[in-house]
Every structure is written in structure tokens, then in C-alpha cells.
Amino acid sequence: MKRTFLRALESLPRILLLVCALTAAHAALAEAFTPEPGSDVKKGILLVAFGSSMPEGEEGINAVTDVVKAAYPGVEVRVSYTSRIIMRKIARERNKTVDEPAIALAKMAYEGFTDVTVVSTHVIPGAEYDDLKSVVDGFRLMSGGGPKAGFRRISLSLPLLSNLRDFERLAQALTDTYSERGRNGAVIFVGHGTHHFADAAYSALQMALWRKSPNFYVGTIEGMPSYDDVLARIKASKVKNALIAPAMLVAGDHAHNDIAGDEEDSWKSMLTAEGFRVTPVLSGLGQNKAVQSLILDKLREAWDEGAM
Ligand code: CO
């Protein structure tokens, strides 16, 4: 027993030498295979929109995409839709493939992107945004788990109307755009509207607009304020002209049909029947320069949060 101990003690220098050699070799190998700091970083941007099946609607999404690309030269910008109905429709009718966010992100992870900023182009933090946030949160849970599991960093920008300051800023952008029209009649912004609590954002935007001018109105197709809410007020204001513009990212199906369509129940037809001279605007918020810069500001916040 004692002899065994002595023999082990004798071989200790040899064991220590071996450990040292192995450690040195390991360090050298690690150095050889570790890329230069920063060279393993691949940043990307994923822009997410509800989507549009109409080329006219796509223009709103393309306009924002172009502005984002210009602001982040050298960074790959991809586009993703959240509406499966629209994705199936454009695949069937125009042979165009757009991925939903979870698939687009999985592909980006597979292709080696390490830092991804997801840009929400939503107007309000409603159900569409909630869903997107869950997807991003899922990828965030996987992050840090190695190259095969998600990203190193992932962040998500806030929708246009997310905090108190946003109402003032969007109201300013809209009144600047239509100041001339606002002097000659009612300017009505028609949002989508939703059953979601975030529908209250449209009423808050209305208040922010009224602080600037009594002639600016907000209505929605599916929520509050409603068409009747707007009608009652513009009738009382005694204006003759009414400009109707979508308060949506794109001027797609809703803008062309529910707002400016020739059907009896479009906003244009109903307001015309009430005696107003109606001018529809077929351009989405995504095509408005001032709104584009608001979306860019939101993107910058998310980008900076992601780039620690
Ligand atoms: Co809709």
C-alpha cells in the first residue's frame, strides 16, 4: 500500500507534464478554430407584415422594406407575412412564396444568422402582434443554446402605436401630410379595428388628432370608432368635403373595397350618399415618408437592444 503510494508520487511530475501538454494543445486548437472576434456574427432583419394579396397592397410593404434596406446597408432584409390565407392565395395565383415568421426565422437560424431584429409593421399591438411576439419569444428561449438552436440575439420592434408619445407622433405625421385637405374639409383615417383591447389605440389616436385640428377623424372597419361615430361628427361639423385614407400599412383589399370601393356599403359610397364630396386615398401608411421614419425609429430601438 505504502509502496503503491510512493510509486504514484514518483510519477506525479509525469502526470503534471501530460496535463500541461494537453492544456496547451487544447488552448492552441481552440485558438486555431475560433474565428476573429466579430467575424462569426451575421446580422439580419426580418420585416413582418399581415400581407397583401394585391400588388397595390404590396407597394406599402415594399416601400417600408426599401427604407429599411437603405437604413441598414449590407444587412440582409427578409419579408414575412402573418396571414396564411394571403400566403396561400399568392402562392396559388402568382406562384409567389412568402414565409410566415416562424418558418422565416427557422430558415435564418439554419443559414447561420446570429443576430436578428424582427420589424413589426403593425399599427396597433393587437392579436397579430401578440402572435408575432410569441414566435419571437420562442426563438429567444432557444438563443444562446449553440449555433443549432435559434440565434445569439433576437429582438422585436414595437408597433406604430405602442406608447403615449406614439399617438402624438403619428398624429403629427398624419396632420403634416394632409394639412391642406384638413383646411377644406374632413380628413378621415380608416383603420382596420379589432375585437382585441388594443382597438382602444384608434380612439386615443383620434384624441391626439383633435388636439391638432378638429377636422381630422379616425374610424375603423371592425372596431371603434365606427363609421356611424365618424358620420355623426362630420355631419355636425357641416363640412362638405371628405378625404378618406387608410390607417393601415397597405392600401390593399380593405382600402380598395371597404373604404374606396363602388359597392353600396363602402365608406366612399355611404358618405357620397350622405351628400359629401368624397376623395379616397389609395396609399397605405407604409407609403407615407413620415410614418416610414416612425417605423425606422422603432426598428432602431429594437436593433440597439439586440446589439449589446
Ligand atoms: Co381584415
Side-chain angles (χ1 to χ4, degrees):
M1 180 69 196
K2 199 178 172 192
R3 213 185 286 163
T4 322
F5 176 73
L6 279 174
R7 216 180 299 147
L9 206 61
E10 268 168 31
S11 59
L12 193 63
R14 249 182 297 159
I15 293 169
L16 279 175
L17 202 68
L18 190 67
V19 169
C20 285
L22 279 174
T23 311
H26 182 259
L29 274 175
E31 204 170 319
F33 287 103
T34 304
E36 292 287 300
S39 70
D40 56 339
V41 172
K42 189 175 173 185
K43 293 187 176 185
I45 291 174
L46 180 67
L47 185 137
V48 180
F50 176 78
S52 180
S53 58
M54 299 176 77
E56 296 93 329
E58 272 173 27
E59 282 171 31
I61 300 166
N62 293 342
V64 179
T65 310
D66 290 345
V67 166
V68 169
K69 281 181 179 167
Y72 291 87
V75 176
E76 190 171 335
V77 180
R78 295 189 180 181
V79 175
S80 171
Y81 289 176
T82 56
S83 168
R84 286 184 180 170
I85 294 173
I86 285 172
M87 283 181 280
R88 283 188 198 119
K89 194 166 182 235
I90 58 176
R92 200 172 53 232
E93 292 173 4
R94 286 160 45 207
N95 206 16
K96 181 182 163 162
T97 313
V98 179
D99 290 323
E100 60 180 52
I103 295 179
L105 287 171
K107 282 184 180 172
M108 288 176 92
Y110 179 72
E111 289 170 40
F113 284 87
T114 57
D115 298 36
V116 172
T117 306
V118 180
V119 193
S120 150
T121 58
H122 301 100
V123 179
I124 59 163
E128 289 282 321
Y129 184 78
D130 285 351
D131 289 348
L132 175 60
K133 193 172 178 303
S134 331
V135 170
V136 172
D137 285 345
F139 276 87
R140 189 176 288 131
L141 271 179
M142 289 193 280
S143 68
K148 283 185 184 165
F151 306 100
R152 203 176 63 146
R153 286 181 195 112
I154 183 166
S155 53
L156 168 65
S157 76
L158 290 166
L160 261 182
L161 295 173
S162 311
N163 59 49
L164 268 187
R165 218 167 60 94
D166 292 340
F167 295 103
E168 153 62 27
R169 295 183 72 196
L170 183 57
Q172 190 65 53
L174 295 175
T175 49
D176 284 350
T177 309
Y178 296 101
S179 58
E180 188 64 41
R181 296 295 308 216
R183 279 191 285 276
N184 301 312
V187 176
I188 307 163
F189 301 103
V190 186
H192 193 282
T194 171
H195 59 279
H196 191 285
F197 181 74
D199 190 68
Y202 295 108
S203 300
L205 178 63
Q206 175 67 85
M207 291 311 296
L209 283 165
W210 276 339
R211 283 177 183 171
K212 303 194 177 295
S213 160
N215 279 350
F216 287 83
Y217 300 87
V218 180
T220 64
I221 293 169
E222 292 178 15
M224 235 173 79
S226 65
Y227 168 81
D228 289 336
D229 292 330
V230 175
L231 179 66
R233 292 193 184 261
I234 57 170
K235 268 184 160 173
S237 79
K238 308 260 186 275
V239 292
K240 296 270 180 289
N241 303 316
L243 179 131
I244 37 177
M248 302 175 206
L249 182 76
V250 306
D253 198 32
H254 284 305
H256 283 82
N257 297 310
D258 301 314
I259 302 175
D262 291 327
E263 303 85 358
E264 255 176 40
D265 59 350
S266 76
W267 285 52
K268 185 182 88 177
S269 301
M270 291 191 291
L271 289 171
T272 305
E274 294 286 345
F276 294 97
R277 275 192 298 273
V278 182
T279 313
V281 171
L282 286 173
S283 158
L285 294 180
Q287 281 136 297
N288 182 314
K289 294 257 175 298
V291 177
Q292 287 169 356
S293 77
L294 297 183
I295 296 174
L296 266 190
D297 284 350
K298 300 282 181 196
L299 162 57
R300 272 191 208 103
E301 285 169 26
W303 177 277
D304 293 345
E305 172 202 325
M308 287 182 288

